[in-house]
Amino acid sequence: MDDRSDVQVDVLVAGCGPVGGVLAALLGAHGTRVTVVDPNHEPYPRPRAAALDAEVMRILGQVPGLADAEGWAVAVRQSRVLGPDRRPLFTVDVPDHAEAPPQPVLIDQPNLEAALRAGLTARSTVELRFGRSVLAVEQDHGGVEVLLDDGERIRANWVVGCDGASSTVRRLLGVVYEGVSFPQPWLVVDASVDASVEGERDQPPTMSFVLDPRRPQVAMSRPAARRWEWMLLPGEDPERMLDEATVRELIRPWVDPDTVRVRRAAVFTFHARAASRWRHGRILLAGDAAHSMPPFVGQGLGSGIRDAASLAWRLAQVARGLDGDELLDGYERERRPDVRATTIMALRAGRVVQTRSRIGSALLRSVLRTIGAVPGAQAFVSRRAQRAQPARRLPGGVTGPHPGAGRLLPDIRVRTANGQVVRLDNLQGNHWAIIGYGDDPRTHLDAAAREWAEAHRAVVLTIAVPGRETHVEPGCTLVEDLNGALPAPRRTAVTLVRPDRFLLGTLPAPVTAAALTRAGGGDPSNRYT
């Protein structure tokens, strides 16, 4: 690859699945020049990932084109554990509340990918190259030369491989994909249900785990759609399990087979693997290209989308020359521990879901049945599930010394000065936020810190403090915290929030530029220090 292309972009994203699409969309929202390369002209037409949690939906709510999720997601209204007879042992209900923050959802991945692609098409800074694959990459101190399968060469400052567990980018880098694959196969069936069937339109979106030692299984239902997953038993032929007659017999206890159309039937095994490193010079990995995990807690796709959120703002700032590329090292330092912990959780959940021990299964069913019989127990869990903000936080070694560092900013409801009630996320957008309490936070920044805030296009907010008169300068939005979730600190301070909603911390006044640049676990050589 001696010839150099005239094409120059900030970031080339290999792969336009949900992870690559979200990364490209977030980068495009920052004004970063992006080229997306994907071998498929259209989204993969069959369902794959089935669910996303509340935190991931919060991320997607800030992705251009995905704020309206009605076409590809429906909020989970019930989560159940069932016995072998499919009778509920324990049920958590999640009421439909218009003012509730993002909630866990069941998704239609083809529709999600279609919405992502439509949003990317409308973004002037994003160029899409569908029907093209990456053949080779070669990097030097100034960028990466990417050879496509049609002979075109694209030169990018950075390349991100979002091209799945069999990643070409990872293979070209020679990065080892470490971990284990599990031999236990599962059959997954996705089906559309005839909407004219009585009661089908009123079907609450539900996730169900069936504790049946004879054949462990998982079921997900939403209006006009179903997913079932069954563990194959020793000696069962995977090919035979895919036969139409076998599938019909398996789904018969759940629905009339004549009322459904099978969209996908596949046998899969699962993996717990991670790339030995996620960054090699100017080339990075995200999503399944960086890690894969068992499906038992529904976090595979969600973990990849978290990767995209963590990486996008870093790449955007480095591309704009606001930070040195050391900022990118914080990406893996933050994300790898979370992926490792989530993988361990999935493995533990898998041992419970897959148990074929009659004694162990009976004991667990007895415990759940007893808890469910306690007056108010299921209602209490349901209320907690509705109110709870995501508890995720960054690992302690990378968050910095300030109070609250590494925690997620709650997406609270606030009232603006003109009386409009909005969510805090909608005011922050995809930017840094500087939050004051009862006064304009910029009055507590030194000159260099103000310059830093302007260069990073930080959103400036002040939360009204009861009993205190507040004066703000133009460019600062005064809001009332309707939930009381962000009380004023005891001493004068300013809260710094990263574009991915994690707190840099609450910093005592006066705030210097040096404090502001300690972002994301890196040690950026910022020109404002």
Side-chain angles (χ1 to χ4, degrees):
M1 297 176 63
D2 294 328
D3 296 334
R4 290 293 181 258
S5 168
D6 292 332
V7 177
Q8 181 76 28
V9 297
D10 293 319
V11 181
L12 183 141
V13 176
C16 196
V19 176
V22 168
L23 176 61
L26 292 175
L27 286 169
H30 285 289
T32 308
R33 296 170 301 160
V34 184
T35 293
V36 183
V37 176
D38 191 283
N40 300 307
H41 288 280
E42 301 292 338
Y44 186 74
R46 296 178 178 178
R48 287 177 290 178
L52 295 172
D53 68 16
E55 182 192 333
V56 173
M57 287 302 294
R58 188 178 172 189
I59 293 171
L60 296 184
Q62 299 303 314
V63 174
L66 295 187
D68 182 4
E70 184 176 347
W72 53 269
V74 59
V76 175
R77 292 290 164 239
Q78 280 189 340
S79 182
R80 307 185 300 177
V81 180
L82 309 180
D85 56 2
R86 296 189 295 109
R87 293 182 180 179
L89 301 171
F90 196 89
T91 300
V92 175
D93 292 308
V94 183
D96 186 3
H97 197 306
E99 296 181 349
Q103 297 173 338
V105 297
L106 300 176
I107 67 168
D108 185 307
Q109 186 169 333
N111 286 347
L112 167 60
E113 293 190 24
L116 262 174
R117 290 191 177 207
L120 291 173
T121 301
R123 181 66 57 178
S124 62
T125 57
V126 179
E127 182 182 23
L128 304 175
R129 302 287 182 92
F130 294 143
R132 296 288 179 266
S133 298
V134 173
L135 283 188
V137 293
E138 182 180 317
Q139 60 179 314
D140 53 43
H141 70 280
V144 185
E145 192 83 5
V146 182
L147 174 64
L148 303 186
D149 59 354
D150 63 349
E152 182 181 11
R153 299 173 187 270
I154 300 176
R155 187 161 176 81
N157 290 324
W158 302 92
V159 170
V160 184
C162 301
D163 47 347
S166 58
S167 170
T168 297
V169 173
R170 189 185 64 237
R171 175 179 56 80
L172 291 171
L173 293 175
V175 173
V176 178
Y177 205 41
E178 302 170 318
V180 294
S181 295
F182 297 86
Q184 176 59 59
W186 279 69
L187 169 67
V188 57
V189 173
D190 286 281
S192 299
V193 183
D194 187 344
S196 65
V197 174
E198 183 179 356
E200 183 57 36
R201 295 187 183 278
D202 299 324
Q203 179 74 32
T206 301
M207 298 185 66
S208 300
F209 297 88
V210 184
L211 298 181
D212 186 351
R214 296 168 301 178
R215 186 189 295 279
Q217 53 192 289
V218 178
M220 286 163 260
S221 62
R222 52 193 173 90
R226 299 287 190 279
R227 168 175 284 196
W228 299 279
E229 298 173 358
W230 295 273
M231 192 175 85
L232 270 62
L233 304 180
E236 288 185 327
D237 180 7
E239 290 298 323
R240 180 182 172 279
M241 297 299 291
L242 295 173
D243 289 345
E244 180 181 357
T246 302
V247 171
R248 286 176 62 89
E249 286 307 307
L250 286 170
I251 67 177
R252 189 179 300 278
W254 297 90
V255 296
D256 179 354
D258 292 331
T259 65
V260 305
R261 177 177 64 85
V262 174
R263 299 175 64 188
R264 179 183 73 148
V267 173
F268 70 93
T269 55
F270 53 88
H271 315 275
R273 295 184 176 275
S276 57
R277 52 180 171 170
W278 299 3
R279 178 187 174 193
H280 182 77
R282 291 180 170 269
I283 304 175
L284 301 104
L285 302 172
D288 285 352
H291 49 79
S292 57
M293 67 183 64
F296 298 110
V297 291
Q299 290 293 326
L301 176 56
S303 291
I305 292 173
R306 289 186 180 92
D307 292 348
S310 178
L311 188 54
W313 67 270
R314 289 180 162 92
L315 277 171
Q317 290 184 189
V318 172
R320 290 175 57 203
L322 296 175
D323 294 271
D325 62 11
E326 297 89 349
L327 183 67
L328 298 174
D329 292 333
Y331 159 62
E332 182 176 348
R333 284 204 290 266
E334 288 182 0
R335 291 293 305 131
R336 185 183 284 275
D338 180 69
V339 168
R340 183 185 302 116
T342 304
T343 301
I344 292 172
M345 181 172 62
L347 290 170
R348 290 173 177 169
R351 285 195 287 270
V352 174
V353 172
Q354 295 186 113
T355 183
R356 297 198 64 221
S357 166
R358 293 184 180 275
I359 295 176
S361 181
L363 179 61
L364 181 57
R365 294 198 305 270
S366 177
V367 170
L368 290 172
R369 191 178 291 111
T370 300
I371 296 174
V374 174
Q378 297 188 67
F380 173 78
V381 175
S382 297
R383 289 194 299 270
R384 291 295 298 268
Q386 182 185 11
R387 292 199 308 264
Q389 290 286 338
R392 190 178 304 271
R393 63 177 301 168
L394 300 179
V398 300
T399 56
H402 303 295
R407 295 184 182 274
L408 271 174
L409 178 74
D411 185 20
I412 60 175
R413 295 167 58 246
V414 297
R415 182 183 289 114
T416 62
N418 62 8
Q420 184 181 12
V421 176
V422 298
R423 292 245 163 226
L424 199 56
D425 276 3
N426 294 333
L427 293 179
Q428 182 178 352
N430 290 306
H431 302 280
W432 282 84
I434 302 178
I435 301 176
Y437 303 88
D439 54 13
D440 191 323
R442 291 171 297 186
T443 62
H444 305 302
L445 308 184
D446 67 14
R450 285 195 177 201
E451 186 181 358
W452 183 96
E454 292 174 3
H456 287 73
R457 303 169 184 168
V459 172
V460 183
L461 302 168
T462 292
I463 296 176
V465 176
R468 183 190 305 178
E469 187 176 357
T470 304
H471 299 283
V472 296
E473 299 294 326
C476 177
T477 301
L478 173 64
V479 299
E480 177 189 356
D481 177 4
L482 298 179
N483 300 86
L486 291 176
R490 293 182 179 179
R491 57 180 296 188
T492 303
V494 172
T495 296
L496 272 296
V497 188
R498 303 185 333 187
D500 59 1
R501 303 301 190 268
F502 285 103
L503 301 188
L504 181 60
T506 298
L507 288 65
V511 178
T512 66
L516 297 181
T517 57
R518 299 190 189 101
D523 185 20
S525 54
N526 190 289
R527 59 178 173 170
Y528 299 107
T529 56

